[in-house]
Amino acid sequence: EIDFFIELMKRTMLLSEYKWIASSGEKYYIIPSLLSRRYEDDVKTLTEQRRLLRCVFDFTSSFLPSGVFQRVLCLLITYDTNNRCKKEEAGFGSNDVKRKRPVLYENFGLIELEEDFTIQLLEDKESQKLTLFVEDSDHAAKSVPMIQTMIRKLNYDVMNASLTWNVFVENPVTGDLVR
């Protein structure tokens, strides 16, 4: 019965395997909807103090349902876990794959998808937006389509294609958000 529920939760993007805990064969899982600690920094703090570029997934033309952010986190964690496992299978030992453990909150996730490629995702329920933060335009070129694909996947797999959103990317020179 437990294996059935784990598989069901994986398929519905509610749970991801969590491989950052060293164990003797035991499996660990993360369920983002159960995270209770809130991230308190806001968009202004992330962009000004840390000099990060941002991309805004704006759901104000419809709404941002509960669970979308958590499911995107599940997909990102699964992507990262699969990427780590592929590197280990290719001959890089777990010591060679030196990536940081994800930092996860109820409304925020910081995940290193590849060495020196970290993304940060912030949910703002009030403004109906998900904001992606990356360090430079090369990382933006990789991560924006990835997040867009993940949102499309959960839109069709879980939300019955009812989500609509606009994407705005920050101009690195002016700081303006453009479509």
Side-chain angles (χ1 to χ4, degrees):
E1 291 179 8
I2 292 173
D3 290 338
F4 168 78
F5 284 114
I6 288 173
E7 194 56 38
L8 176 66
M9 290 182 75
K10 280 183 185 178
R11 249 187 260 137
T12 55
M13 298 167 257
L14 295 172
L15 164 146
S16 290
E17 206 165 327
Y18 192 78
K19 292 195 175 188
W20 289 271
I21 299 173
S23 72
S24 57
E26 282 189 57
K27 290 186 177 182
Y28 292 88
Y29 300 95
I30 185 80
I31 302 172
S33 61
L34 295 180
L35 296 170
S36 58
R37 203 168 43 136
R38 287 195 58 77
Y39 186 77
E40 298 302 331
D41 281 352
D42 59 8
V43 170
K44 186 176 181 182
T45 304
L46 286 168
T47 53
E48 288 179 1
Q49 289 181 354
R50 300 185 189 165
R51 301 188 192 274
L52 299 173
L53 294 175
R54 65 195 157 123
C55 171
V56 176
F57 298 89
D58 183 348
F59 293 83
T60 55
S61 62
S62 59
F63 72 105
L64 178 60
S66 294
V68 169
F69 171 75
Q70 291 77 11
R71 284 180 164 100
V72 172
L73 274 186
C74 271
L75 290 169
L76 286 167
I77 292 166
T78 299
Y79 174 88
D80 186 38
T81 299
N82 291 343
N83 204 15
R84 272 176 64 122
C85 290
K86 284 179 189 172
K87 287 192 177 193
E88 288 175 7
E89 288 169 6
F92 296 99
S94 58
N95 292 334
D96 295 329
V97 184
K98 295 177 181 167
R99 292 209 311 270
K100 299 172 195 151
R101 180 182 296 203
V103 177
L104 304 171
Y105 292 83
E106 173 188 0
N107 63 329
F108 178 80
L110 183 147
I111 301 172
E112 188 176 39
L113 296 176
E114 297 172 13
E115 193 171 340
D116 298 322
F117 176 23
T118 301
I119 67 164
Q120 298 176 43
L121 191 64
L122 177 68
E123 176 190 42
D124 185 343
K125 287 182 182 180
E126 275 185 43
S127 68
Q128 301 287 298
K129 295 176 183 166
L130 297 179
T131 305
L132 170 69
F133 299 93
V134 294
E135 295 166 4
D136 59 42
S137 52
D138 288 339
H139 292 155
K142 287 183 189 178
S143 55
V144 171
M146 179 190 313
I147 300 296
Q148 182 86 306
T149 300
M150 290 176 177
I151 294 172
R152 278 191 200 111
K153 175 179 177 39
L154 74 94
N155 187 30
Y156 290 103
D157 290 359
V158 179
M159 305 305 295
N160 201 25
S162 62
L163 293 178
T164 58
W165 65 92
N166 292 305
V167 180
F168 299 93
V169 180
E170 182 175 9
N171 179 322
V173 176
T174 65
D176 295 335
L177 289 172
V178 294
R179 268 184 125 181

